[in-house]
Amino acid sequence: MASRKLLLSLTAGRRLRSRTQQLFCAASLPEATTSRSLAAAVAAAQQSGGSPVAHLFSSRTISSTRPATQSARDAPSSSAVDHHKLVMPEDEFHKLADETIHDLLEKLEEYGDSIQMDGFDIDYGNQVLTLRLGDLGTYVVNKQTPNRQIWLSSPVSGPSRFDWDASTDGWVYKRTGANLVQLLEKEIGELCGTPVELS
C-alpha cells in the first residue's frame, strides 16, 4: 500500500514537472511562435527524452519576433528620423508665441474698451493671457514651451493645442485645422454680440 502511494506520488510529480516545463516553454516563447510548432517541439522532445526547452531553442521550430535585418516596413520613416531637426528652436518659438499673445492682449483690450461689457476683464501674467467675459465664460491662452504649442481653453470649444504653421503664418489646431486668431474672433464676436478684429 505504501509503495503504491509512493508510485502515485512520483507519477504525479513527473506529470506536474512536465506540465510546468510546457507552461514555462509557452510563457517564454516569442509571440510569433505558433501553438502547432510548440506542440510539435514538446512532442519531439518527449520522444527523444530531452528537455522541451533545449529542443525548442536548438531547432528552427520558433521564429524570432525581431528580424536580423529590417524590412522596409519596419525601417524608420524619414519623418521619424528627422523629428529632432523639425522641432522649432526654443527662441524662435518664444518670439512667435509672445508676438501672438501680445497682439491678442492689445487688440482684446481695445475691443473691451469699445464694447463696454459688464464683466469684461483681460489679464496677462506669468505668460498666461486670461480673458473673462462675465457670465459668458473665461478664455485662457498660454504657451507650452516643451511642445512648442499655444494652448487655448475656451468656454465654447473647450481645450485646443495650436502648432505653428509656417505655410499659413499662424497657429493651427491640427485636429480641426482651426486657426487660433480666427477661432477667437468667431467665438468672442458671437458671445459678445459685436464682431472683433484680432488679426
PDB file of all heavy atoms in Angstrom, residues 12 16 19 34 39 41 50 63-64 81 100 107 111 114 117 119 125 134 136 141-142 151 157 182 192:
ATOM      1  N   ALA A  12       2.657  11.520 -10.240  1.00  0.00           N
ATOM      2  CA  ALA A  12       2.032  12.847 -10.207  1.00  0.00           C
ATOM      3  C   ALA A  12       3.094  13.939 -10.252  1.00  0.00           C
ATOM      4  O   ALA A  12       2.928  14.958 -10.912  1.00  0.00           O
ATOM      5  CB  ALA A  12       1.173  12.981  -8.952  1.00  0.00           C
ATOM      6  N   LEU A  16       3.471  16.812 -13.097  1.00  0.00           N
ATOM      7  CA  LEU A  16       3.500  18.219 -12.704  1.00  0.00           C
ATOM      8  C   LEU A  16       4.732  18.909 -13.280  1.00  0.00           C
ATOM      9  O   LEU A  16       4.646  20.008 -13.834  1.00  0.00           O
ATOM     10  CB  LEU A  16       3.471  18.350 -11.175  1.00  0.00           C
ATOM     11  CG  LEU A  16       3.466  19.775 -10.632  1.00  0.00           C
ATOM     12  CD1 LEU A  16       2.223  20.532 -11.112  1.00  0.00           C
ATOM     13  CD2 LEU A  16       3.512  19.763  -9.120  1.00  0.00           C
ATOM     14  N   ARG A  19       4.251  19.312 -17.065  1.00  0.00           N
ATOM     15  CA  ARG A  19       3.317  20.407 -17.383  1.00  0.00           C
ATOM     16  C   ARG A  19       3.924  21.763 -17.050  1.00  0.00           C
ATOM     17  O   ARG A  19       3.706  22.729 -17.762  1.00  0.00           O
ATOM     18  CB  ARG A  19       1.999  20.204 -16.653  1.00  0.00           C
ATOM     19  CG  ARG A  19       1.249  19.037 -17.240  1.00  0.00           C
ATOM     20  CD  ARG A  19      -0.107  18.906 -16.694  1.00  0.00           C
ATOM     21  NE  ARG A  19      -0.675  17.692 -17.261  1.00  0.00           N
ATOM     22  CZ  ARG A  19      -1.907  17.331 -17.113  1.00  0.00           C
ATOM     23  NH1 ARG A  19      -2.711  18.067 -16.410  1.00  0.00           N
ATOM     24  NH2 ARG A  19      -2.337  16.230 -17.670  1.00  0.00           N
ATOM     25  N   THR A  34       3.933  29.630 -32.983  1.00  0.00           N
ATOM     26  CA  THR A  34       2.575  29.132 -33.100  1.00  0.00           C
ATOM     27  C   THR A  34       2.362  27.982 -32.136  1.00  0.00           C
ATOM     28  O   THR A  34       3.303  27.304 -31.726  1.00  0.00           O
ATOM     29  CB  THR A  34       2.293  28.627 -34.534  1.00  0.00           C
ATOM     30  OG1 THR A  34       3.150  27.528 -34.787  1.00  0.00           O
ATOM     31  CG2 THR A  34       2.507  29.732 -35.552  1.00  0.00           C
ATOM     32  N   ALA A  39       3.609  22.568 -29.873  1.00  0.00           N
ATOM     33  CA  ALA A  39       3.184  21.189 -29.619  1.00  0.00           C
ATOM     34  C   ALA A  39       4.134  20.199 -30.285  1.00  0.00           C
ATOM     35  O   ALA A  39       4.511  19.187 -29.695  1.00  0.00           O
ATOM     36  CB  ALA A  39       1.760  20.981 -30.135  1.00  0.00           C
ATOM     37  N   ALA A  41       7.305  20.687 -31.007  1.00  0.00           N
ATOM     38  CA  ALA A  41       8.594  20.708 -30.309  1.00  0.00           C
ATOM     39  C   ALA A  41       8.524  19.933 -29.010  1.00  0.00           C
ATOM     40  O   ALA A  41       9.445  19.191 -28.663  1.00  0.00           O
ATOM     41  CB  ALA A  41       9.022  22.154 -30.047  1.00  0.00           C
ATOM     42  N   GLY A  50      14.648  14.369 -24.288  1.00  0.00           N
ATOM     43  CA  GLY A  50      15.344  15.610 -23.953  1.00  0.00           C
ATOM     44  C   GLY A  50      14.405  16.650 -23.350  1.00  0.00           C
ATOM     45  O   GLY A  50      13.209  16.423 -23.187  1.00  0.00           O
ATOM     46  N   SER A  63      10.182  31.141 -34.461  1.00  0.00           N
ATOM     47  CA  SER A  63      10.689  32.245 -35.266  1.00  0.00           C
ATOM     48  C   SER A  63      10.935  33.431 -34.360  1.00  0.00           C
ATOM     49  O   SER A  63      10.288  33.580 -33.332  1.00  0.00           O
ATOM     50  CB  SER A  63       9.672  32.605 -36.350  1.00  0.00           C
ATOM     51  OG  SER A  63       8.482  33.045 -35.746  1.00  0.00           O
ATOM     52  N   SER A  64      11.843  34.229 -34.738  1.00  0.00           N
ATOM     53  CA  SER A  64      12.186  35.401 -33.941  1.00  0.00           C
ATOM     54  C   SER A  64      11.186  36.507 -34.197  1.00  0.00           C
ATOM     55  O   SER A  64      10.725  36.701 -35.313  1.00  0.00           O
ATOM     56  CB  SER A  64      13.584  35.879 -34.320  1.00  0.00           C
ATOM     57  OG  SER A  64      13.850  37.108 -33.717  1.00  0.00           O
ATOM     58  N   VAL A  81      12.990  59.971 -38.418  1.00  0.00           N
ATOM     59  CA  VAL A  81      14.428  60.203 -38.307  1.00  0.00           C
ATOM     60  C   VAL A  81      14.716  61.688 -38.175  1.00  0.00           C
ATOM     61  O   VAL A  81      15.541  62.117 -37.392  1.00  0.00           O
ATOM     62  CB  VAL A  81      15.165  59.625 -39.534  1.00  0.00           C
ATOM     63  CG1 VAL A  81      16.616  60.025 -39.533  1.00  0.00           C
ATOM     64  CG2 VAL A  81      15.018  58.119 -39.562  1.00  0.00           C
ATOM     65  N   THR A 100       2.252  86.728 -30.821  1.00  0.00           N
ATOM     66  CA  THR A 100       0.837  86.396 -30.974  1.00  0.00           C
ATOM     67  C   THR A 100       0.049  86.768 -29.716  1.00  0.00           C
ATOM     68  O   THR A 100      -0.997  87.415 -29.800  1.00  0.00           O
ATOM     69  CB  THR A 100       0.663  84.889 -31.274  1.00  0.00           C
ATOM     70  OG1 THR A 100       1.371  84.569 -32.469  1.00  0.00           O
ATOM     71  CG2 THR A 100      -0.802  84.522 -31.422  1.00  0.00           C
ATOM     72  N   LYS A 107      -5.248  93.919 -28.797  1.00  0.00           N
ATOM     73  CA  LYS A 107      -6.498  94.030 -29.556  1.00  0.00           C
ATOM     74  C   LYS A 107      -7.716  93.718 -28.693  1.00  0.00           C
ATOM     75  O   LYS A 107      -8.783  94.320 -28.866  1.00  0.00           O
ATOM     76  CB  LYS A 107      -6.431  93.157 -30.795  1.00  0.00           C
ATOM     77  CG  LYS A 107      -5.418  93.741 -31.780  1.00  0.00           C
ATOM     78  CD  LYS A 107      -5.276  92.973 -33.036  1.00  0.00           C
ATOM     79  CE  LYS A 107      -4.274  93.718 -33.923  1.00  0.00           C
ATOM     80  NZ  LYS A 107      -3.811  92.965 -35.017  1.00  0.00           N
ATOM     81  N   TYR A 111     -10.821  96.130 -27.835  1.00  0.00           N
ATOM     82  CA  TYR A 111     -12.179  95.613 -28.035  1.00  0.00           C
ATOM     83  C   TYR A 111     -13.007  95.785 -26.763  1.00  0.00           C
ATOM     84  O   TYR A 111     -14.161  96.232 -26.822  1.00  0.00           O
ATOM     85  CB  TYR A 111     -12.107  94.139 -28.438  1.00  0.00           C
ATOM     86  CG  TYR A 111     -13.444  93.464 -28.645  1.00  0.00           C
ATOM     87  CD1 TYR A 111     -14.238  93.777 -29.740  1.00  0.00           C
ATOM     88  CD2 TYR A 111     -13.902  92.488 -27.766  1.00  0.00           C
ATOM     89  CE1 TYR A 111     -15.455  93.154 -29.957  1.00  0.00           C
ATOM     90  CE2 TYR A 111     -15.116  91.848 -27.971  1.00  0.00           C
ATOM     91  CZ  TYR A 111     -15.881  92.182 -29.063  1.00  0.00           C
ATOM     92  OH  TYR A 111     -17.091  91.564 -29.268  1.00  0.00           O
ATOM     93  N   SER A 114     -14.147  99.266 -26.335  1.00  0.00           N
ATOM     94  CA  SER A 114     -15.154  99.694 -27.312  1.00  0.00           C
ATOM     95  C   SER A 114     -16.544  99.132 -27.033  1.00  0.00           C
ATOM     96  O   SER A 114     -17.543  99.764 -27.379  1.00  0.00           O
ATOM     97  CB  SER A 114     -14.720  99.320 -28.722  1.00  0.00           C
ATOM     98  OG  SER A 114     -14.814  97.914 -28.912  1.00  0.00           O
ATOM     99  N   MET A 117     -18.662  96.133 -21.858  1.00  0.00           N
ATOM    100  CA  MET A 117     -19.440  94.983 -21.393  1.00  0.00           C
ATOM    101  C   MET A 117     -19.147  94.709 -19.922  1.00  0.00           C
ATOM    102  O   MET A 117     -17.992  94.736 -19.496  1.00  0.00           O
ATOM    103  CB  MET A 117     -19.045  93.760 -22.233  1.00  0.00           C
ATOM    104  CG  MET A 117     -19.731  92.493 -21.855  1.00  0.00           C
ATOM    105  SD  MET A 117     -19.134  91.161 -22.952  1.00  0.00           S
ATOM    106  CE  MET A 117     -19.295  89.784 -21.886  1.00  0.00           C
ATOM    107  N   GLY A 119     -18.296  92.753 -16.751  1.00  0.00           N
ATOM    108  CA  GLY A 119     -17.553  91.514 -16.515  1.00  0.00           C
ATOM    109  C   GLY A 119     -16.419  91.274 -17.486  1.00  0.00           C
ATOM    110  O   GLY A 119     -15.693  90.290 -17.358  1.00  0.00           O
ATOM    111  N   GLY A 125      -0.306  87.644 -17.141  1.00  0.00           N
ATOM    112  CA  GLY A 125       0.712  87.460 -16.110  1.00  0.00           C
ATOM    113  C   GLY A 125       1.247  86.048 -16.157  1.00  0.00           C
ATOM    114  O   GLY A 125       0.507  85.106 -16.468  1.00  0.00           O
ATOM    115  N   GLY A 134     -17.415  87.818 -18.035  1.00  0.00           N
ATOM    116  CA  GLY A 134     -18.506  87.771 -17.063  1.00  0.00           C
ATOM    117  C   GLY A 134     -19.140  86.395 -17.019  1.00  0.00           C
ATOM    118  O   GLY A 134     -18.447  85.376 -16.945  1.00  0.00           O
ATOM    119  N   LEU A 136     -20.457  84.816 -19.365  1.00  0.00           N
ATOM    120  CA  LEU A 136     -20.302  84.086 -20.631  1.00  0.00           C
ATOM    121  C   LEU A 136     -19.132  83.104 -20.608  1.00  0.00           C
ATOM    122  O   LEU A 136     -19.054  82.226 -21.459  1.00  0.00           O
ATOM    123  CB  LEU A 136     -20.127  85.074 -21.784  1.00  0.00           C
ATOM    124  CG  LEU A 136     -21.287  86.047 -22.001  1.00  0.00           C
ATOM    125  CD1 LEU A 136     -20.945  87.042 -23.094  1.00  0.00           C
ATOM    126  CD2 LEU A 136     -22.563  85.291 -22.330  1.00  0.00           C
ATOM    127  N   VAL A 141      -5.217  81.606 -22.617  1.00  0.00           N
ATOM    128  CA  VAL A 141      -4.260  81.343 -23.689  1.00  0.00           C
ATOM    129  C   VAL A 141      -2.875  81.316 -23.051  1.00  0.00           C
ATOM    130  O   VAL A 141      -2.497  82.274 -22.364  1.00  0.00           O
ATOM    131  CB  VAL A 141      -4.308  82.445 -24.773  1.00  0.00           C
ATOM    132  CG1 VAL A 141      -3.287  82.159 -25.872  1.00  0.00           C
ATOM    133  CG2 VAL A 141      -5.708  82.587 -25.343  1.00  0.00           C
ATOM    134  N   ASN A 142      -2.134  80.241 -23.259  1.00  0.00           N
ATOM    135  CA  ASN A 142      -0.785  80.165 -22.690  1.00  0.00           C
ATOM    136  C   ASN A 142       0.148  79.354 -23.570  1.00  0.00           C
ATOM    137  O   ASN A 142      -0.279  78.563 -24.398  1.00  0.00           O
ATOM    138  CB  ASN A 142      -0.807  79.609 -21.259  1.00  0.00           C
ATOM    139  CG  ASN A 142      -1.265  78.175 -21.195  1.00  0.00           C
ATOM    140  OD1 ASN A 142      -2.368  77.856 -21.601  1.00  0.00           O
ATOM    141  ND2 ASN A 142      -0.418  77.307 -20.689  1.00  0.00           N
ATOM    142  N   TRP A 151      -1.666  76.842 -26.076  1.00  0.00           N
ATOM    143  CA  TRP A 151      -2.866  76.139 -25.635  1.00  0.00           C
ATOM    144  C   TRP A 151      -3.960  77.148 -25.362  1.00  0.00           C
ATOM    145  O   TRP A 151      -3.725  78.223 -24.806  1.00  0.00           O
ATOM    146  CB  TRP A 151      -2.584  75.322 -24.376  1.00  0.00           C
ATOM    147  CG  TRP A 151      -1.756  74.098 -24.641  1.00  0.00           C
ATOM    148  CD1 TRP A 151      -1.127  73.744 -25.791  1.00  0.00           C
ATOM    149  CD2 TRP A 151      -1.460  73.059 -23.702  1.00  0.00           C
ATOM    150  NE1 TRP A 151      -0.458  72.554 -25.631  1.00  0.00           N
ATOM    151  CE2 TRP A 151      -0.641  72.113 -24.359  1.00  0.00           C
ATOM    152  CE3 TRP A 151      -1.797  72.842 -22.370  1.00  0.00           C
ATOM    153  CZ2 TRP A 151      -0.171  70.959 -23.738  1.00  0.00           C
ATOM    154  CZ3 TRP A 151      -1.322  71.702 -21.750  1.00  0.00           C
ATOM    155  CH2 TRP A 151      -0.524  70.766 -22.430  1.00  0.00           C
ATOM    156  N   SER A 157     -15.508  76.104 -27.264  1.00  0.00           N
ATOM    157  CA  SER A 157     -14.962  74.935 -27.966  1.00  0.00           C
ATOM    158  C   SER A 157     -14.093  74.034 -27.099  1.00  0.00           C
ATOM    159  O   SER A 157     -13.632  72.999 -27.563  1.00  0.00           O
ATOM    160  CB  SER A 157     -14.154  75.390 -29.189  1.00  0.00           C
ATOM    161  OG  SER A 157     -13.113  76.265 -28.793  1.00  0.00           O
ATOM    162  N   GLN A 182      -8.492  83.290 -35.802  1.00  0.00           N
ATOM    163  CA  GLN A 182      -9.816  83.233 -36.436  1.00  0.00           C
ATOM    164  C   GLN A 182     -10.850  82.596 -35.514  1.00  0.00           C
ATOM    165  O   GLN A 182     -12.002  83.042 -35.456  1.00  0.00           O
ATOM    166  CB  GLN A 182      -9.732  82.470 -37.752  1.00  0.00           C
ATOM    167  CG  GLN A 182      -8.929  83.198 -38.806  1.00  0.00           C
ATOM    168  CD  GLN A 182      -8.669  82.348 -40.041  1.00  0.00           C
ATOM    169  OE1 GLN A 182      -9.047  81.173 -40.109  1.00  0.00           O
ATOM    170  NE2 GLN A 182      -7.982  82.925 -41.020  1.00  0.00           N
ATOM    171  N   CYS A 192     -20.156  87.980 -27.479  1.00  0.00           N
ATOM    172  CA  CYS A 192     -20.357  89.374 -27.067  1.00  0.00           C
ATOM    173  C   CYS A 192     -21.366  90.103 -27.954  1.00  0.00           C
ATOM    174  O   CYS A 192     -21.838  91.187 -27.593  1.00  0.00           O
ATOM    175  CB  CYS A 192     -19.035  90.121 -27.073  1.00  0.00           C
ATOM    176  SG  CYS A 192     -17.841  89.455 -25.890  1.00  0.00           S
TER     177      CYS A 192
END
